[in-house]
Amino acid sequence: MKNVDKIESFGYKQELKRSLSFWALLVYGVTFLNPTAPMNLYGIVVGPSGGMIALTFLFGAVAMYFTALSYSRMATEFPIAGSIYSYAQRSFNPYIGFVVGWTIMLDYVLLPAFLYLVAGLWLSQLIPIIPYWGWIIIVIAINTIISIIGIELTTKTNITILIFELIVIVLFVLAAFWSVYYKHIGSFNIKPFFDASKFHISTILSATSVAVMGYLGFDALSTLSEETKNPSKVMGKAIVATVIVMGALFVLENYMAASVWPNYNNFTNPNVAFYFIAQKAGGSWLRFLVFLAVIVSAITCALVTQTGFARLIYSMARDEMLPRFLAKVHPKYKTPYINSLLIALISIVASTSMSLDFITNLINFGALTAYLVIHLTVINYFVIRKKMTDAASLFKYLILPIIGFIIIFYVWLSLDKDAKILGFTWLILGIIYGAIVSKGYKKVPPALKV
């Protein structure tokens, strides 16, 4: 019986440094999902949700929980760096794996650009002497150096900034509670979870298709399997734990915000709604801390996104589905440094030439499409290929993935029309490119040759 924690058992060579524990992975996952995400999304989600923003984020957490379970199953079985690319490759075939990997690249390649653009725009407001594109270049340069030096430095950076973000969130929750309970600003009631007069499942699904942006990225944990100690034991647990922790945190933040400001229709600028809420809950000092936390979290989240995407490119390149030089590892730091530099270049171009709406639409298409496929890989691998058809296995590897697929599918249907058009265009380009590099989808990656 092969030891699945030995990368050699999958036809690869151990090149990346193993240093991550369960807790390091959890910190990475929480940082990736961004604890302050509701502060960015609140104003554009609360209206479409009919004020039921806590329910919307709870629904998103449930959808992501089932998807996290499927990622957990495959990460335990295949603790290698390619995430959904590797899982689809091993469950179906290398060509489906490539197409799926190409699709989720929309998420990985554009999410850093999105975050760098957010950071640049807000930093230019704080210190306008430097234009937003100048701030973007500065932040990308710093993050790229950290990403190249190594995952251990990335983890230490994550912990420091995560502590600051959590302190700001705790201060906001305490200030909001004090304002509502003692100063009678706003009110505590069930409406952020359920308002019978406004509840429609289509409304919640539509709002969830936007709110789900806050949950995108937990899957990036699986790209670190080859840098994790005992990945078959801890990776799956870390993925599920990340979704549970962040779901609870997001729901709490949104409920307290809705309680402070029940009339969600009277924001003068919905894009910065949370800042008005922070001002109302705690005054200027809290508003400033929230402002700072959003900037810091965007920079940190961009760092972990850049780190995860570099590993996805590395995995596809060593299978010769992308140019081979992208599989190069730094001789000293043991990181895919060329990929980090490439992502930095792409991020500079995208973040200085595209709008936030344009980037967001493509990110959601790539991620949600991949989330649909992960459920199918579980069903195909465990039920069809391994023929695990006893009652317990069918519940674990068939029923739960089907539930997850249905939920994600309905959220996917609610995506913006332009996102689907652009997303399918990217997908078609990937199919054409894959056919070229695989000589008509006949060339098999070296690690999969018998």
Side-chain angles (χ1 to χ4, degrees), residues 204-285:
I204 299 302
L205 284 173
S206 178
T208 301
S209 70
V210 180
V212 76
M213 177 77 176
Y215 291 100
L216 299 187
F218 70 87
D219 51 293
L221 276 179
S222 58
T223 66
L224 302 178
S225 289
E226 292 175 36
E227 293 158 275
T228 300
K229 303 172 185 176
N230 302 316
S232 64
K233 294 181 179 179
V234 305
M235 181 57 72
K237 294 177 182 177
I239 290 172
V240 174
T242 296
V243 172
I244 292 174
V245 169
M246 296 306 287
L249 188 62
F250 286 175
V251 170
L252 175 62
E253 286 180 63
N254 282 296
Y255 179 77
M256 297 305 293
S259 298
V260 170
W261 200 300
N263 188 1
Y264 58 88
N265 287 317
N266 68 348
F267 291 112
T268 55
N269 184 356
N271 291 325
V272 292
F274 214 98
Y275 304 108
F276 297 124
I277 295 171
Q279 174 77 39
K280 190 174 182 180
S284 299
W285 67 270

Side-chain angles (χ1 to χ4, degrees), residues 270-323:
N271 291 325
V272 292
F274 214 98
Y275 304 108
F276 297 124
I277 295 171
Q279 174 77 39
K280 190 174 182 180
S284 299
W285 67 270
L286 184 58
R287 181 176 178 176
F288 175 76
L289 282 179
V290 166
F291 178 88
L292 192 60
V294 168
I295 294 175
V296 170
S297 63
I299 295 173
T300 310
C301 189
L303 170 61
V304 294
T305 308
Q306 188 170 344
T307 301
F309 182 42
R311 274 67 180 169
L312 175 63
I313 296 175
Y314 165 80
S315 183
M316 296 176 74
R318 71 181 175 185
D319 283 339
E320 299 178 5
M321 297 301 286
L322 289 175

Side-chain angles (χ1 to χ4, degrees), residues 53-68:
I53 191 165
L55 176 63
T56 298
F57 273 84
L58 179 60
F59 192 83
V62 171
M64 292 301 105
Y65 174 75
F66 284 102
T67 302

Side-chain angles (χ1 to χ4, degrees), residues 119-168:
L121 290 171
W122 283 105
L123 281 168
S124 66
Q125 293 296 314
L126 186 65
I127 308 177
I129 192 172
I130 300 177
Y132 84 97
W133 56 265
W135 280 116
I136 288 173
I137 293 173
I138 291 171
V139 173
I140 288 177
I142 294 172
N143 274 3
T144 301
I145 292 172
I146 295 174
S147 177
I148 290 174
I149 289 177
I151 193 67
E152 289 177 274
L153 179 58
T154 301
T155 302
K156 292 175 182 177
T157 304
N158 291 345
I159 292 173
T160 302
I161 296 178
L162 177 61
I163 290 173
F164 168 70
E165 293 172 356
L166 293 177
I167 289 173
V168 173

Side-chain angles (χ1 to χ4, degrees), residues 434-448:
I436 295 173
V437 298
S438 64
K439 303 185 187 316
Y441 289 109
K442 295 178 181 178
K443 180 181 177 182
V444 178
L448 297 182

